[in-house]
């Protein structure tokens, strides 16, 4: 592949079409169904689906078909088939599966002045707004990578593109579509996913593992109604204190280390080696990527251990609370109940269902003060650990990174969860995986000031083209 010609075509496609499309896409508040249970009634998801599908339909790609697949009561899915360069389109043929999603996380507070989740803003070649980087660009980049190949007359395998609308809710709709479309998908020999992260914006980053997740709501009730704190405190146990006691069963309150051993898993030696190399390349950039308040110290003693904490060890976050009024409305009342939303990240090889069972048992058995304690599980998703990278793919990734960025390809773990990867790994055990993405330092997916780094995304699209070309030539 002529990298320079491919990059020129891709740059123009991004500038002329993709960036304007993403600007309009960011304006749509199509929150994932977990965050907008009335998504169907509101119509935002349908608007986003139609926008992306219309652009994809209009692209000049020979032997392309597109269908918006629908199962009643479930989010829609965009399904595209692109015949191989020789015109064949048989699911029994060698197949590439490309994946992305179009649903979004909720607004989140804390956006800088002039920015907002549904307000697209371009600053310093970064497109701010919810969903552009996670993961609205995927459909556009996937087809553009194929078109760059076709412009040079290069051969490629049959390709299937799946864009779902439930990923941010744990992809609970996706298995139904995979089962329904299984015969049309075929048996992919290569999976390309554009929903992951990058350690910097200077080279190609490939994700080799993803953590799983177990989450839910912990609730403690001590009273039928709130009472005057002067009358009740000292007699009625605090629901907040009881929650603190329960959380001490899970984590060391000084280090944040999870205590139950059932949440841990062995770390493969190859992943340790890869993590050490990433720590050497990124150095303190690992910590500098986070918007720490001045003076706050990061967890763990060094960057290697921090990466392991983020990628292969369990970690607990508290992502929501209820039962506590806003401070300006907080009277002298002993509150009857406290609830916390817990998000437990799990090692890539851990069983999320078993972890959820253990989490429930640990939190609800023998409650302090015999308070009423409940734990309502929410999302449970298994992580993913990549198979060994085939020699052809390792060479292709390195070639792409060197030709496009001028630096070697890097392999890293990610702390997030993409449920589809675990599902695919189980259904297609012989497939190779290129899991990559644009979520680099400070891009802040799910949080305020999320942005898409446009120059990096353009180059990443070219690297994808290189891998598709090399996949066909692998023999």
């Amino acid at each position: 592949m002529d990298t320079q010609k491919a990059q020129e075509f891709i740059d123009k496609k991004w500038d002329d079409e993709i960036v304007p499309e993403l600007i309009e896409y960011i304006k749509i508040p199509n929150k994932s169904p977990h965050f907008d249970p009335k998504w169907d009634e509101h119509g935002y998801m349908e608007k986003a689906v139609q926008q992306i599908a219309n652009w994809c339909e209009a692209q000049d790609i020979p032997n392309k078909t597109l269908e918006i697949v629908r199962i009643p009561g479930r989010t829609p899915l965009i399904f595209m088939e692109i015949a191989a360069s020789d015109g064949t389109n048989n699911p029994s043929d060698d197949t590439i599966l490309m994946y992305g999603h179009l649903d979004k996380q909720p607004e989140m507070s804390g956006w800088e002045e002039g920015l907002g989740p549904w307000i697209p803003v371009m600053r310093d070649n970064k497109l701010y707004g919810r969903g552009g980087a996670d993961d609205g660009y995927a459909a556009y980049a996937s087809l553009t990578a194929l078109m760059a190949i076709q412009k040079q007359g290069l051969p490629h395998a049959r390709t299937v593109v799946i864009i779902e609308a439930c990923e941010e809710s744990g992809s609970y709709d996706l298995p139904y579509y995979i089962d329904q479309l299984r015969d049309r998908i075929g048996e992919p020999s290569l999976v390309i996913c554009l929903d992951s992260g990058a350690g910097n914006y200077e080279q190609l980053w490939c994700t080799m593992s993803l953590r799983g997740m177990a989450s839910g709501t912990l609730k403690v009730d001590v009273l039928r109604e709130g009472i005057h704190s002067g009358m009740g405190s000292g007699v009625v146990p605090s629901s907040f204190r009881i929650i603190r006691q329960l959380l001490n069963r899970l984590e060391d309150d000084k280090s944040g280390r999870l205590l139950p051993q059932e949440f841990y898993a062995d770390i493969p030696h190859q992943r340790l080696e890869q993590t050490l190399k990433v720590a050497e390349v990124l150095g303190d950039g690992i910590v500098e990527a986070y918007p720490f308040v001045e003076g706050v110290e990061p967890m763990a003693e060094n960057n290697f251990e921090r990466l392991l904490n983020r990628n292969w060890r369990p970690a607990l976050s508290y992502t929501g609370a209820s039962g506590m009024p806003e401070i300006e409305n907080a009277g002298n009342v002993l509150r009857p109940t406290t609830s916390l939303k817990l998000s437990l990240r799990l090692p890539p090889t851990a069983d999320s269902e078993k972890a959820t069972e253990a989490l429930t048992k640990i939190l609800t058995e023998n409650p302090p003060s015999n308070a009423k304690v409940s734990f309502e599980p929410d999302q449970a998703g298994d992580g993913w650990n990549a198979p060994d990278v085939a020699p052809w793919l390792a060479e292709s990734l390195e070639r792409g990174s060197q030709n496009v960025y001028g630096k070697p390809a890097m392999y890293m773990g990610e702390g997030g969860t993409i449920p589809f990867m675990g599902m695919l790994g189980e259904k297609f055990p012989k497939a190779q995986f290129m899991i990559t993405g644009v979520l680099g330092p400070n891009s802040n997916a799910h949080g305020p000031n999320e942005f898409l780094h446009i120059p990096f995304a353009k180059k990443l699209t070219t690297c994808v083209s290189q891998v598709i070309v090399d996949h066909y030539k692998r023999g």
Side-chain angles (χ1 to χ4, degrees), residues 176-196:
Y176 297 91
Y177 285 106
I178 296 299
D179 290 342
Q180 178 173 309
L181 297 168
R182 178 66 185 263
D183 292 342
R184 294 172 62 183
I185 293 172
E187 294 288 333
S189 58
L190 173 64
V191 175
I192 299 176
C193 169
L194 301 179
D195 187 30
S196 195

Side-chain angles (χ1 to χ4, degrees), residues 49 52-59 61 63-69 77-83 89 95-100 102 136-144 146-147 158-164 181 184-185:
V49 167
I52 292 175
N54 289 342
W55 184 89
C56 292
E57 189 71 74
Q59 300 313 299
I61 299 177
N63 302 310
K64 168 178 59 67
T65 62
L66 182 149
E67 179 184 354
I68 300 174
V69 187
L77 177 141
I78 299 173
F79 183 80
M80 291 178 273
E81 293 180 83
I82 297 94
N89 187 24
T95 297
I96 297 172
L97 175 59
M98 305 183 80
Y99 165 83
L102 56 80
Y137 83 102
Y140 303 102
S142 296
L143 293 193
T144 299
L146 279 167
M147 286 187 280
R158 172 182 180 266
T159 304
V160 169
V161 182
I162 287 176
I163 307 295
E164 68 157 315
L181 297 168
R184 294 172 62 183
I185 293 172

Side-chain angles (χ1 to χ4, degrees), residues 6 10 21 34 41 46 52 63 72 99 121 132 146 167 169 194 241 261 278-279 289 311 353 375 393 402 407 459 462:
I10 287 167
E21 282 283 322
H34 180 73
E41 177 183 333
E46 183 66 21
I52 292 175
N63 302 310
Y99 165 83
V121 174
L146 279 167
E167 194 274 342
S169 298
L194 301 179
R241 177 172 56 81
Q261 288 303 302
V278 171
N311 301 332
E353 294 294 340
F375 181 74
L393 181 55
Q402 291 286 2
K407 290 188 176 183
K459 292 180 178 181
T462 306

